[in-house]
Each structure stands twice: as structure tokens, then as C-alpha cells.
Amino acid sequence: MKGKSHKNLLEVLEKIMTRITMKMNKLKGVAFLLSLMMIFTMYATLNIVPKVNVYAATATGIYNVADLDKMRSSSGDFVLMNDLDIAAAGVTKWTPIPNFKGTFDGQGYTIVNLSGTSGGLFGTCDNTSNSGNPFRPNGIEISNVIMKNANISGFQNIGVLVNNIICQGVGDPNGNVNKITNCKVIDSTITNPNTGNNQNV
């Protein structure tokens, strides 16, 4: 009888432990959901937008400094897929991307340690019919990129992000508008010995 009683007691204890485990798992699930809610509340309160890689299917992803070179004299669409360190890639004297007539979406990522003696990331972005590249009806757009710790110099029309951007003009029948939107330049230096020339973004 004692053996049977012990067996029944063990069965009861096992059932109790199973119920306790199930309740603990449910509590863990609730705690996980509460944690997610707190995270999203924090993002909303601080007005932080998480980085989400959503881009046009035709856009080319930029993953490294070598990919940036592919943008030279291009009219394509490009998206930055991660932060880039120009100096860490061994580039101590950056040559600005010339004749760019496309779109570049930085997706909130940062490009750091760009140094050069002829301006910044982009050179002259010229979307006129005389620029040598095909005219882009929708205009040039550079957006959502942060430039940090850049050190550039030059003698005319220089900027950390873009040296110069030219459009067809107000009377353009195609409604061409070039845009630089939601971009930041922080902790950077522009040296221009000729004070009569422009220093841009």
C-alpha cells in the first residue's frame, strides 16, 4: 500500500509541477510582450525611427567604399546599407563623386572620416542638358545620410556632402527639382583659403 501511495503522490506532484511550469511560461510570454511594448514606447517618445532597409527594387546597395566608386558618373538609384568609414578603408584622400545624376538614400546611416583636397562626398551634381550625362527629368536627390568627422579643403564651391548642385532652372518644362533632404553634417571641417568662394553643406 505504501508503494501505491508513494506512486500516487508522485503523480500528483508531477501534475502540480507541470501546471506551475505552464504558468511560468505564460508569465514569460507576458513579460516578453511587455518588454516589446516598452521598447516601441521608447522609440515613439524619443522620436527615434529604426533603420529599416526598404528601398526600390531597382536600387543598388552600397555596402563598402568600393561600392561608392561605382556611383561615379552615374544616373542610377543607390541606397546605403550600413555605416561606412572612409579612412578605415585605406582612402586618405577622397576624390568627390563627379557628374552624379541619380538618387542616393543614406537610410539614416553615417559616413565617417572623409578627407580630401577637392571637396566632399559628391562633386558637382549637374542636371542640365549641357552636363554630358543624360538629363534626369525627376531631378537629383540625396537624402537621409549623416556625414561625420570629415576634413575637406578646396578652392571653390566645396561642401562636405555636395560641392555644387545645378538644375535646369525655374523655367524647366519637365518640372525638374533637385533635392537634398534630411541630411546632417557634424564634427566636420571645411578649409577654403579663397574666402570669395562658396562653402556648401
Side-chain angles (χ1 to χ4, degrees), residues 27-43:
L27 288 173
K28 287 181 181 178
V30 171
F32 177 72
L33 290 174
L34 287 173
S35 298
L36 284 179
M37 290 175 65
M38 288 176 65
I39 291 170
F40 282 112
T41 301
M42 179 188 70
Y43 275 119

